[in-house]
Amino acid sequence: MDGLIMDYQLTLPAILRRAEQLFGHKEIVTRLPDRSFHRYTYADFAVRAKRLALALAELGIGDGDRVGTLCWNHYRHLEAYYGIPLAGGVIHTLNLRLHPSDLTYIANHAGDRALIVDESLLPLYEGIKDGLDLEHAIVISEGGEAPAGMLSYEELIAGVDEADYTELQIDERSAAAMCYTSGTTGQPKGVLYSHRAIALQAFAAAMAGPFGLHEADTTLPVVPMFHANAWCFPFTCTLVGAKQVYPGPHLDPASLLQAFEQERVTVTAGVPTIWLGILALLDADPGAYDLSSLRAMIVGGSAAPRAMIQAFQERHGLNVVHAWGMTEMTPLGTVAMLTSDLLDAPDEVKYEYLSKQGLPVPYVEIRARREDGELVAWDGETMGELEVRGVWVASRYYGDEDTGDRWTADGWFKTGDVVTIDGRGCIEIQDRSKDLVKSGGEWISSVALENALMGHPAVAEAAVIAMPHEKWTERPLAVVVLKPGGSATDTELREYLASGFAKWWLPDEFRFVEEIPKTAVGKFRKTALREQFAPAPGSAEVAS
Ligand code: AMP
């Protein structure tokens, strides 16, 4: 028997409609490139998002068309988050920290028909545009002007009338957003988010257990809008009508702290590198900022060190909320929290729990599997690779029919994170089976660096491993075996890599060895290398 309930579609237009009806007066604030603050209301935002949809439709953008964005966190990017899907399109957020060759690959693989780019990122765009297959390039500039061959964002939306806007009937299962991840080996993979997945995750992030975002909050996502939907903040905050603050390109600790204080921010979110920088500044001058409004600093993307969580709480009275997620999960997976039985536990025990990755949020299921294929017991001790399934977990990558190595036969997603699960269902990440380094919240592919290094005439073998780093969480270290009679210095090898990789990908250190330890099947034994080159005890902890 069917339930007799309306078939109401969970879509982004419905979120925007609600925000416009209920929260038209609420504020959205952005720090502009010149450091001044731009302010407008949800009512202004909704009008401009609709105008963007109309302007894109006039350019021929419609059902399922991908529109790339190369933008920082700001109000116009928020408009694109809604305006593109309102036109029936898919917003494809491009990671501006990637090397031009990766960006070109990703934009072309996604089939981006148009691109919206910040004026300050035009040099990056100039470097890739000849390799792109775009029909329209749109520039966001403060003055509204556009270089030859590009369209002006401001002129585009000034040229249409929101009165002409009619809401499309969008199927909640159709794609609204897209983001590529290099969180696997091989080429970056595209994840396509449906309207439904985003809407449901926005609900979950507004639940009391996970983040509890609500109308009275003032939010400032430091996590980039080009990385995994900025953890759905632009969607959740609009759904609940929170005041939204965007930092623009100003992500240094002093600018962020000043914005927290000035705008009375209550919830913020970012990777550990951001919070470690902020902690150092607060420690140096504890009374300098009034952060009494701040109720939660959400940290994820890499493991939050327990010492950091404790230091914020004990030295500054600030509450760090540790979460784990993945681009493939829209991205929220688990959140660390104290369940009722732990509320009266000693501080030691509380910190232990708050520094784990936490409990799965509703409609995310977890299990972990040992190398021999058996599922692990939830005993907090046995390690296995975490598998997930749920209402916003990707079912495959875009343009890649082969799900073989990332999804199980019964449809669970293999995360590549090695965890223990305790009796409460709380996960703790112990290691990573994927061959990558995560530096400052962004991936570096060990395999890509190794392959490039092994193309150097003097190099016989090279393995790249993650080393713990105090500021960046991890940094790459290259272990190199030279060919007999070959010679190369670390400077030469770094220069050799520099043309093909972003500067921050280049290994900080090169170690020259006689031999790289191998497994029985001839793979580099990276656990042995990590042990061999581990920094002295007392240095930073390994991230994951
Ligand atoms: P991404 O898709 O770039 O967001 O990366 C997802 C991956 O980042 C996860 O599979 C983990 O390896 C890592 N990660 C994310 N959050 C955490 C966390 N809280 N602790 C440890 N690792 C994390």
Side-chain angles (χ1 to χ4, degrees):
M1 181 185 264
D2 287 339
L4 298 177
I5 297 295
M6 292 180 187
D7 190 16
Y8 186 96
Q9 297 289 296
L10 305 176
T11 62
L12 298 194
I15 295 183
L16 190 71
R17 217 180 323 118
R18 176 173 201 269
E20 196 180 15
Q21 281 167 355
L22 302 183
F23 311 120
H25 58 288
K26 297 289 304 276
E27 215 181 6
I28 297 169
V29 182
T30 296
R31 197 195 282 262
L32 298 174
D34 70 0
R35 304 189 63 79
S36 65
F37 285 87
H38 171 274
R39 292 168 191 279
Y40 73 172
T41 63
Y42 271 51
D44 303 323
F45 152 58
V47 165
R48 286 172 55 95
K50 289 182 204 167
R51 286 181 168 208
L52 176 60
L54 284 166
L56 289 172
E58 280 189 2
L59 293 177
I61 300 295
D63 190 19
D65 288 332
R66 273 79 68 203
V67 178
T69 58
L70 202 50
C71 300
W72 294 101
N73 288 14
H74 52 63
Y75 69 100
R76 293 177 177 113
H77 205 177
L78 181 69
E79 291 162 10
Y81 259 59
Y82 286 84
I84 297 168
L86 252 50
V90 179
I91 174 171
H92 174 203
T93 51
L94 286 157
N95 185 335
L96 54 89
R97 300 203 195 278
L98 292 180
H99 188 265
S101 60
D102 285 329
L103 277 175
T104 307
Y105 169 84
I106 289 171
N108 288 336
H109 187 268
D112 291 348
R113 289 186 58 197
L115 179 69
I116 301 176
V117 52
D118 279 357
E119 188 178 25
S120 64
L121 299 170
L122 282 177
L124 180 56
Y125 168 71
E126 292 294 329
I128 58 174
K129 69 173 192 207
D130 290 345
L132 300 180
D133 196 13
L134 294 175
E135 288 160 48
H136 312 286
I138 302 164
V139 65
I140 291 177
S141 59
E142 288 315 316
E145 66 285 351
M150 296 186 83
L151 300 165
S152 153
Y153 181 91
E154 287 302 326
E155 279 177 20
L156 272 183
I157 64 169
V160 288
D161 182 351
E162 68 274 11
D164 295 332
Y165 171 79
T166 43
E167 198 174 297
L168 295 177
Q169 293 308 306
I170 294 175
D171 181 339
E172 64 178 17
R173 288 171 202 277
S174 61
M178 184 178 210
C179 186
Y180 275 66
T181 174
S182 37
T184 52
T185 47
Q187 291 287 15
K189 302 277 195 288
V191 181
L192 269 176
Y193 307 105
S194 62
H195 284 257
R196 175 185 154 84
I198 290 170
L200 286 170
Q201 181 149 134
F203 256 97
M207 286 177 63
F211 302 153
L213 289 166
H214 60 101
E215 188 274 340
D217 274 319
T218 297
T219 58
L220 190 157
V222 188
V223 49
M225 290 169 86
F226 56 76
H227 194 153
N229 305 318
W231 303 350
C232 268
F233 265 60
F235 300 120
T236 312
C237 299
T238 306
L239 179 75
V240 301
K243 172 179 164 185
Q244 302 182 45
V245 185
Y246 290 96
H250 304 290
L251 305 181
D252 60 288
S255 299
L256 291 172
L257 283 164
Q258 193 230 329
F260 294 161
E261 178 181 53
Q262 174 183 307
E263 300 300 323
R264 306 298 294 154
V265 169
T266 61
V267 181
T268 173
V271 296
T273 301
I274 295 286
W275 304 131
L276 287 165
I278 284 194
L279 181 62
L281 201 59
L282 290 180
D283 281 348
D285 196 354
Y289 299 92
D290 173 5
L291 301 178
S292 53
S293 59
L294 207 51
R295 71 169 177 84
M297 302 164 75
I298 300 168
V299 60
S302 290
R306 174 178 168 159
M308 181 189 89
I309 296 177
Q310 206 161 335
F312 269 118
Q313 187 65 58
E314 291 177 352
R315 300 210 285 270
H316 306 287
L318 292 171
N319 173 33
V320 174
V321 177
H322 192 193
W324 167 89
M326 298 184 72
T327 304
E328 291 90 336
M329 299 179 73
T330 313
L332 188 56
T334 65
V335 182
M337 65 178 92
L338 296 178
T339 44
S340 50
D341 53 323
L342 290 169
L343 291 178
D344 297 323
D347 282 354
E348 270 304 288
V349 178
K350 284 187 181 168
Y351 283 126
E352 188 187 322
Y353 269 89
L354 292 174
S355 51
K356 293 183 183 189
Q357 278 72 17
L359 300 177
V361 294
Y363 293 119
V364 169
E365 290 183 60
I366 55 167
R367 68 186 186 191
R369 195 182 291 282
R370 296 196 315 228
E371 270 183 26
D372 64 8
E374 291 298 311
L375 291 179
V376 306
W378 288 22
D379 58 8
E381 282 176 13
T382 319
M383 289 195 226
E385 183 187 355
L386 180 64
E387 297 174 357
V388 293
R389 71 172 177 189
V391 74
W392 49 68
V393 182
S395 59
R396 71 166 67 137
Y397 293 118
Y398 173 66
D400 186 358
E401 295 306 311
D402 181 16
T403 57
D405 63 337
R406 293 306 300 275
W407 280 267
T408 64
D410 60 349
W412 291 58
F413 175 66
K414 299 198 257 179
T415 64
D417 289 321
V418 176
V419 299
T420 54
I421 308 177
D422 72 10
R424 291 186 171 81
C426 179
I427 65 163
E428 182 168 22
I429 296 195
Q430 308 288 347
D431 200 357
R432 199 187 279 145
S433 60
K434 38 198 178 197
D435 206 353
L436 294 154
V437 181
K438 204 165 200 193
S439 179
E442 300 289 346
W443 292 114
I444 295 172
S445 164
S446 330
V447 177
L449 288 172
E450 287 161 4
N451 288 343
L453 278 172
M454 290 191 273
H456 187 280
V459 174
E461 282 185 333
V464 172
I465 52 172
M467 280 289 106
H469 188 278
E470 245 175 85
K471 177 170 180 196
W472 301 109
T473 312
E474 292 176 6
R475 289 295 303 150
L477 175 143
V479 185
V480 176
V481 181
L482 292 175
K483 287 182 181 159
S487 84
T489 63
D490 47 1
T491 313
E492 280 163 17
L493 292 179
R494 199 173 289 114
E495 274 169 14
Y496 176 76
L497 291 175
S499 61
F501 298 96
K503 202 164 160 241
W504 60 274
W505 273 46
L506 304 182
D508 288 355
E509 263 190 88
F510 290 80
R511 299 293 185 91
F512 295 92
V513 296
E514 293 290 307
E515 199 186 341
I516 294 177
K518 310 247 174 37
T519 65
V521 290
K523 288 190 194 172
F524 295 143
R525 195 187 289 282
K526 293 205 171 172
T527 41
L529 286 177
R530 285 207 296 262
E531 272 167 33
Q532 189 178 342
F533 294 105
S539 329
E541 289 167 27
V542 182
S544 57

